[in-house]
Amino acid sequence: MKTKDNTVTRTRDVTISEDFLNKIANKNIEDLESSSLFLFPPKVSEADDLDASHFVMMANTDEIRTTNVMGVIGYKNERLFIGSRFDEGNDYFFYYLLKKVLNMNVINTEVNMEHQSDFLELLIPLFPKFLNNAMKKGLYKEYKVRHHNEANVKGVIDFKRQLKENVPFLGKVAYNTREFSYENHVIHLIRYTIEYIKRRKDLRKVLYMNDVTKENVHIIEENSLEFNSIHAAKVIHQNIRKPVRHGYFFEYQALQRLCIAILRAESNYFKKDSNNEVFGILFDGAWLFEEYINTLIGDHYIHPQNTKGIGRHYLFNDANGLIYPDFISRSGINRKIADAKYKPINNIRGRDYLQLVAYLHRFEAAEGYFIYPLQKSLNKKGEKTLTLLSGVEETSVRDPNVKVIKYGLGIPSQESDFNTFEEVMLHEEAKLKITII
């Protein structure tokens, strides 16, 4: 079945089975999220716009309703593809977002999210980005106990092993040391994944797509010399039992989950007769659109991130009123605030206005922007300027220099191929940059 986010479908038009529907409908994402179902951003509990109270789909006897989630989700031999509501007749905008944010090209390869029967090919193109993000923190290391038996004692004596191995005494002492090591279950899991991708002639090019990825692959190979392919299943289960929990290595947690999913899929874990596990890859539309806007204006705007605790600000003294504006201009002259909204212009109201006005006041900014997707086929004006009123009578303008602008990023709809769509999008992006930078 194919549908779009935030869309209502009458029950008579639903083409997935009731069994599949019961697995995913009216269930919050926190219950569905697992090493078999990938969600972006990686941890639902840390997402700004998608919390555990959200659903992939809501259903009753008359209709089903999708939410802000896009992607592909499968169960046994069925697939549900959820595209973007801002696409018309194709899924180019959704694919374009994936390409820009995650470097995930599902147009110019054999991968196609709508028709792909096995989602393994959707996961492998994500591996370089996750690997490179994790490696920015350096190699993941853990304490490891090493056993020694020699005359030069440098650790804690192991009396049990001493009695077993060194009686009668011949000058050697059994002792143990506890030291940091890169030879651990997480690094070995990454190495197994690299070795598997290398065997895929159709997809192994992702490991050599740029110098950063090639260098990081090389570093992993140099620091996983103790790995052995016959222990792959053991390492996978060890990583499932021992997920990365240290906050500093948050990026490794996401990489770990991706590697588990790839290797489990490689071992036919998701064959339709293997189990009743829901699997797939889903994206929070609001997060995806916000990260896309960041690729366009990130050089000129600070992008605070709630999930990583980056760029936190407060409304009041003594660290009260924690806030995370989407974008704050880096220049202190004529400060600007921008808010990415993955919804139509008429749905930007109430709470959205209150939030942006508070940010304008807090950061002494004169201009605030709502950036939203605008379907060009609607032939509507994509920009609307609002001024703040003053007084009970609602007739006078508080300050004509303080403005809130709704800016619609034009989304093409009539293009016959992805390359043409991309060209038009680049033109629309250039207009956005001129306006808000």
Side-chain angles (χ1 to χ4, degrees), residues 337-350:
I337 305 294
D339 197 359
K341 292 296 182 186
Y342 181 72
K343 51 185 171 183
I345 185 172
N346 293 334
N347 289 356
I348 301 173
R349 55 196 177 205

Side-chain angles (χ1 to χ4, degrees), residues 367-381:
E367 294 182 6
Y369 291 87
F370 289 114
I371 306 171
Y372 66 97
L374 173 68
Q375 292 167 298
K376 295 184 70 175
S377 62
L378 297 179
N379 295 319
K380 291 183 178 180
K381 186 178 180 180

Side-chain angles (χ1 to χ4, degrees), residues 88-101:
E88 292 187 33
N90 54 52
D91 301 297
Y92 291 160
F93 181 52
F94 181 29
Y95 293 154
Y96 187 72
L97 293 178
L98 296 180
K99 183 176 181 180
K100 294 284 284 190
V101 175

Side-chain angles (χ1 to χ4, degrees), residues 376 407 409-410 426-436:
K376 295 184 70 175
Y407 185 94
L409 178 67
L426 291 174
H427 177 67
E428 294 295 327
E429 291 169 359
K431 291 195 297 184
L432 169 67
K433 293 177 184 177
I434 291 173
T435 302
I436 74 169

Side-chain angles (χ1 to χ4, degrees), residues 130-247:
F130 276 55
L131 174 65
N132 296 339
N133 284 344
M135 291 292 284
K136 290 176 183 178
K137 296 291 182 67
L139 276 172
Y140 180 81
K141 56 187 178 181
E142 283 189 347
Y143 278 113
K144 187 173 184 179
V145 176
R146 297 189 180 277
H147 305 288
H148 307 271
N149 192 25
E150 58 188 23
N152 188 15
V153 180
K154 298 179 181 179
V156 179
I157 297 176
D158 188 336
F159 289 100
K160 184 176 181 179
R161 197 156 52 86
Q162 174 70 15
L163 294 174
K164 181 179 180 180
E165 299 180 9
N166 296 322
V167 175
F169 181 67
L170 298 175
K172 293 184 178 181
V173 177
Y175 68 94
N176 303 326
T177 58
R178 187 169 180 262
E179 53 195 52
F180 275 122
S181 173
Y182 298 128
E183 295 278 1
N184 54 68
H185 67 291
V186 176
I187 296 298
H188 285 181
L189 179 75
I190 300 170
R191 176 65 185 273
Y192 287 133
T193 308
I194 290 172
E195 295 302 317
Y196 169 65
I197 295 174
K198 282 183 177 180
R199 297 198 300 270
R200 293 292 301 261
K201 293 181 180 180
D202 51 343
L203 291 168
R204 63 187 176 194
K205 58 180 177 285
V206 302
L207 298 177
Y208 312 104
M209 58 194 305
N210 56 56
D211 292 338
V212 175
T213 303
K214 286 192 288 187
E215 176 63 20
N216 286 333
V217 167
H218 179 65
I219 293 173
I220 293 293
E221 290 174 336
E222 281 192 328
N223 289 276
S224 56
L225 301 178
E226 296 179 6
F227 96 104
N228 191 318
S229 59
I230 63 174
H231 297 146
K234 179 181 178 181
V235 170
I236 292 172
H237 289 293
Q238 188 177 7
N239 277 271
I240 292 173
R241 293 194 309 269
K242 294 178 58 181
V244 176
R245 299 189 184 281
H246 197 289

